[in-house]
Amino acid sequence: MTMLSGKEIVLGVTGGIAAYKACEIVRALRKDGAGVRVILTASGARFITPLTLQTLSKNPVFTDLFDLITESEIGHISLAQRANLLLIAPATANILGKIRGGIADDLLSTVVMATSAPVLLAPAMNSQMYASPAVRENVEVLLERGFTFVDPDEGELACGTVGPGRLADTEKIVEMARILLTEKILAGKRVVVGAGPTAEDIDPVRYLTNRSSGKMGFAMAVAARRFGADVTLVAGPTRLPDPLFMKTIRVRSAEEMLGAVGTAAEAADAVVMAAAVADFRPESAAPLKIKKETFDRRISLVPTEDILSSLGRSRGSRVLVGFAAETNDLEGNAVEKMRRKNLDAIVANDVSRTDIGFGSDSNEVRVYFSDGTALDLAMAAKDAIASAVWRAVCRKFLPG
């Protein structure tokens, strides 16, 4: 099941050059499982046709305030009531002003007034317009009223100027829609997630690392953000882009991760260490590249400090969750690690399998809890596994 399955999203498209990007947004929302109904304003229809949006959304496109969906339903009331989310992208300066002023003189502005669903606004306009006192004041007032914004990106605009005003990237808009439509079981909680491998330098060109891609840790961070947490992600060297709408701290070595996680954990309600932190590092890194001809075939290794054990010794009231990547005796190794490190739960998976674990988009895990219970999660996408783990952790340790 995709994140937006079963959700009804009403997309308002207003009159700006960015209206063409509504096609991408409709496709992305539908790919994520949402039903999409489009309201196209009169000025929006000068940039993109109703037929295009109807073809992509698989639903009629609404343009007229006085259209009836059926003989017994008033159009704007039906759309307002069916929406789980009202998204306006692009949102022009004009529509922001109308919403702030309570003006309802067309179908879209009337639906805004009539809906009880959350409203997500993605502005797009000339940089000078976006910076104007009137627009800034309208944005501030709407934020105070509970509207949510996805700020525009910076770049070259259609008018030729460079600055803020471009419609935010489609993935950014869709991710905020996911956040708004996910239950807030972690609302008010501060979460720290460690993810990815570490790299321990041998010399300026060589290092020791492991096969962790960081995907599971990133999924844990993204799921926590969607569930309403204030998330700090501490990530080792991965090829993954920083997740949206959270603080990401990039580190390289186990020592750097220890410092970053330790500092962030001081104010955290929960810490999840999905990172594959190196157990050993070279005793010292050579200042120059080691030449093959002079290498004595020995690298002296010393143990790194165990981050989870360190947190477990001074845990306070925070919840600690670890991960165990095992190749044999999954239960024995995971449970022993949980007890030794004083954890509330540990998520164990068999990394000897090629269809799950390192580098894969899927996982299959067993979650062991400190009270002796366990939870099996069948193979699924890592974001689904992450959501299920958080639900289980919240039920046991972080009740709302």
Side-chain angles (χ1 to χ4, degrees):
M1 180 178 294
T2 49
M3 285 300 303
L4 296 176
S5 292
K7 302 297 184 181
E8 288 287 334
I9 296 177
V10 173
L11 172 63
V13 181
T14 62
I17 188 63
Y20 79 92
K21 295 184 179 179
C23 297
E24 300 173 12
I25 295 170
V26 171
R27 289 171 65 95
L29 291 171
R30 281 183 46 80
K31 184 178 180 180
D32 215 40
V36 182
R37 296 177 184 271
V38 179
I39 299 173
L40 184 63
T41 66
S43 55
R46 292 179 175 268
F47 293 90
I48 189 169
T49 68
L51 179 60
T52 300
L53 293 169
Q54 177 175 307
T55 301
L56 294 172
S57 69
K58 310 301 181 186
N59 282 310
V61 172
F62 303 94
T63 58
D64 190 340
L65 175 60
F66 299 103
D67 275 348
L68 296 181
I69 294 176
T70 70
E71 294 182 358
S72 61
E73 289 185 334
I74 298 175
H76 65 279
I77 299 299
S78 177
L79 285 169
Q81 290 176 341
R82 81 163 61 236
N84 297 115
L85 173 71
L86 174 57
L87 163 62
I88 302 179
T92 58
N94 181 62
I95 193 66
L96 296 181
K98 290 206 293 187
I99 297 172
R100 186 265 173 92
I103 297 171
D105 63 352
D106 65 2
L107 179 57
L108 180 57
S109 57
T110 304
V111 169
V112 174
M113 296 299 110
T115 191
S116 59
V119 180
L120 175 57
L121 302 167
M125 63 194 75
N126 170 268
S127 297
Q128 290 298 114
M129 292 179 67
Y130 187 62
S132 70
V135 170
R136 301 318 309 153
E137 182 179 314
N138 289 340
V139 170
E140 291 302 317
V141 169
L142 293 176
L143 284 169
E144 291 173 2
R145 292 180 186 173
F147 291 81
T148 301
F149 281 79
V150 177
D151 294 334
D153 291 335
E154 294 195 20
E156 184 176 352
L157 307 179
C159 60
T161 61
V162 177
R166 291 175 57 179
L167 184 66
D169 183 75
T170 295
E171 177 55 27
K172 189 180 294 185
I173 294 171
V174 173
E175 179 59 22
M176 183 53 71
R178 297 184 189 113
I179 290 171
L180 290 174
L181 292 174
T182 302
E183 59 186 309
K184 297 298 176 278
I185 59 176
L186 285 170
K189 303 298 184 183
R190 289 166 295 189
V191 168
V192 176
V193 178
T198 61
E200 312 301 328
D201 289 332
I202 298 172
D203 65 15
V205 298
R206 303 180 182 91
Y207 57 89
L208 300 177
T209 190
N210 57 64
R211 293 175 56 198
S212 173
S213 66
K215 290 180 179 180
M216 192 67 238
F218 276 54
M220 290 295 297
V222 169
R225 179 64 185 89
R226 290 173 182 169
F227 282 136
D230 178 357
V231 179
T232 298
L233 172 65
V234 181
T238 76
R239 297 183 179 182
L240 303 174
D242 290 357
L244 299 167
F245 308 115
M246 70 180 70
K247 180 180 181 181
T248 299
I249 301 171
R250 290 286 182 169
V251 298
R252 177 173 174 78
S253 67
E255 183 178 8
E256 290 175 355
M257 183 167 285
L258 172 66
V261 169
T263 299
E266 291 175 1
D269 297 291
V271 177
V272 174
M273 278 301 294
V277 182
D279 295 315
F280 301 94
R281 63 172 177 80
E283 186 173 18
S284 62
L288 302 175
K289 179 183 177 182
I290 300 171
K291 295 297 184 180
K292 181 170 59 175
E293 295 78 12
T294 60
F295 180 49
D296 64 4
R297 302 183 184 181
R298 292 176 183 160
I299 298 176
S300 179
L301 299 177
V302 295
T304 59
E305 184 168 350
D306 192 305
I307 299 174
L308 262 181
S309 293
S310 175
L311 292 171
R313 289 192 296 268
S314 58
R315 55 178 297 157
S317 61
R318 73 176 67 94
V319 174
L320 293 181
V321 179
F323 274 67
E326 303 292 346
T327 57
N328 65 292
D329 192 10
L330 193 70
E331 180 172 356
N333 287 329
V335 171
E336 190 276 333
K337 181 178 180 180
M338 176 176 63
R339 291 173 178 164
R340 173 166 43 87
K341 299 190 179 187
N342 195 24
L343 308 181
D344 294 290
I346 193 161
V347 183
N349 67 303
D350 182 354
V351 294
S352 67
R353 290 174 52 179
T354 58
D355 56 339
I356 61 172
F358 291 143
S360 173
D361 292 326
S362 300
N363 212 345
E364 179 176 313
V365 305
R366 193 169 207 215
V367 188
Y368 298 94
F369 299 99
S370 55
D371 62 5
T373 60
L375 172 67
D376 287 310
L377 296 175
M379 190 167 72
K382 286 183 174 176
D383 59 352
I385 295 290
S387 294
V389 170
W390 275 120
R391 291 181 193 280
V393 168
C394 286
R395 283 195 300 269
K396 283 186 173 287
F397 308 114
L398 294 167

